[in-house]
Amino acid sequence: MAAAKKAVLGPLVGAVDQGTSSTRFLVFNSKTAELLSHHQVEIKQEFPREGWVEQDPKEILMSVYECIEKTCEKLEQLNIDISNIKAIGVSNQRETTVVWDKITGEPLYNAVAAPVSPGPSDPVAVVPSGSSVPAAGPSSVWLDLRTQTTVENLTKRMPGNNFIKSKTGLPLSTYFSAVKVRWLLDNVKKVQRAVEEDRALFGTIDSWLIWCLTGGINGGVHCTDVTNASRTMLFNIHSLEWDKELCEFFEIPMKILPNVRSSSEIYGLMKAGALEGVPISGCLGDQSAALVGQMCFRDGQAKNTYGTGCFLLCNTGRKCVFSEHGLLTTVAYKLGRDKPVYYALEGSVAIAGAVIRWLRDNLGIINSSDEIEKLAKEVGTSYGCYFVPAFSGLYAPYWEPSARGIICGLTQFTNKCHIAFAALEAVCFQTREILDAMNRDCGIPLSHLQVDGGMTSNKILMQLQADILYIPVVKPSMPETTALGAAMAAGAAEGVGVWSLEPDDLSAVTVERFEPQINAEESEIRFSTWKKAVMKSMGWVTAESSESGIP
């Protein structure tokens, strides 16, 4: 019997989406942005000591190869010819840090993770040493505290308060890669020796993967893109180069840093596996990738990704906007060597999906995360109950480490359904706080909010978000916006050219819109009551109680 004819779909583009808890490889049709196939592999977190979170870089790499192979097998089963895959993009967890040996190709230490939300005075630092971190704190798995002392020591010798922020858009914080590299240089002999012997290379996860996939010790390309570089605290976001003064301040040798490239260009070719010879031509940190995947290409467009926490990015165009309200300035994307760089303001909500997990794991009022929608639907209101999930302090825009979580406004009538509803409202109120700060910094009120991430399947949450923001919330029908953004950057690269990013050529994405259904006055009353609750959450932890171990 003759073999079945292969389906002809036009050029395809693959995307490696390497996240905090899993790796995925997804393949898209470049003409329609349709997702054709994907495969996912979970990644283990390691906890060698309390307050430390690590991952095995080799396990991450193997998971990428496995995902590529399995996805290609699935495409063959669908009768789709994998030779149509013309490019591969990479999106990645951003600040997680790897140092490896360029001679042997071996990591010199595990990948050191980032806490979930950065900020000017990292609230994470108030957790007493030796205390147990709550199971559903702002990053139940994503909280590495080892660099606190490093940050304290660096703060004492920083030349002026604005030294780092004016160059990088970032505060000095445990979150970013530079302090992790400094910790590795101070504490890991293998790293120290490799640097002395000129064998060490540093990178975020994108750099490690691209170096390995393009040959590793046999000519692997050591590079990163501007979005990932802008999260290291070593990169000048104005000159788009590694900053000599910053490297000297952190005492990090510039020779270990990757070459910085645009987010859309051919970095090298795959050297092994089913896609050997295919160019890797797109690279974006995960939140920038979601911004591109949501097609937020105009000034003032913003997206919110709902996960364990929330990440809000607002495109500020070709100008750097420095926040007066506790937000970060970051590189949004640079889609080609000769294309301009675009910037973004970023704010993060520490506790989003984590509050649902807390209701499940700590209170036991739900058995699975999706049950919260049913509970909230039963009552349709919090009945005056407000929940401030400041489990490890308040993040943007307050940056108040003394705060702790509270549930207030309780009456004899309050039940678990009202608390579930209040938990969903808390995610929405926190998002409103960040968007208000963005509006004040940018001077351009948002006309709508584009959303993605796992929690967006909760229709009550999406409707509440529209009501509390009092603007429409727009959710694309294709939820894989992070991987889509990496694929778009890869397909648009010079020398690939299978994905046009011209506004007229972009496929219209079908969306679900949630319009505000309450009046503006009610929206404001609820928000002002939330702010009253936030004020009551502050001042619970003092320096004395932290030192004595009192929670």
Side-chain angles (χ1 to χ4, degrees), residues 234-302:
L234 299 170
F235 184 70
N236 189 310
I237 60 174
H238 311 288
S239 66
L240 301 184
E241 293 175 337
W242 298 119
D243 190 285
K244 191 166 180 288
E245 284 184 351
L246 287 170
C247 291
E248 285 170 356
F249 171 69
F250 287 105
E251 298 178 83
I252 291 172
M254 295 182 82
K255 64 185 179 183
I256 73 171
L257 304 178
N259 292 317
V260 182
R261 313 273 285 270
S262 78
S263 309
S264 176
E265 61 179 271
I266 295 175
Y267 313 113
L269 306 181
M270 287 285 290
K271 285 295 195 291
L275 298 180
E276 187 174 351
V278 175
I280 300 174
S281 53
C283 180
L284 290 153
D286 52 7
Q287 302 309 321
S288 286
L291 195 74
V292 171
Q294 286 270 29
M295 300 178 205
C296 293
F297 294 130
R298 291 197 307 277
D299 290 24
Q301 284 188 299

Side-chain angles (χ1 to χ4, degrees), residues 193-207:
R193 202 172 307 120
V195 169
E196 287 162 12
E197 295 171 7
D198 197 20
R199 290 185 290 109
L201 296 178
F202 150 75
T204 41
I205 294 294
D206 56 306
S207 297

Side-chain angles (χ1 to χ4, degrees), residues 353-367:
V355 77
I356 315 303
R357 270 212 310 273
W358 185 82
L359 292 176
R360 183 193 69 195
D361 298 344
N362 295 36
L363 289 197
I365 67 172
I366 52 175
N367 294 316

Side-chain angles (χ1 to χ4, degrees), residues 49 57 64 71 126 128 132 258-259 277 399 412:
R49 283 167 60 173
V64 170
T71 304
V126 303
S132 59
N259 292 317
W399 303 114
Q412 277 184 301

Side-chain angles (χ1 to χ4, degrees), residues 117-126 171-174 392 394-395 398-401:
S117 271
S121 57
D122 215 326
V124 165
V126 303
L172 176 57
S173 163
T174 57
S392 285
L394 286 165
Y395 287 68
Y398 298 100
W399 303 114
E400 184 48 70

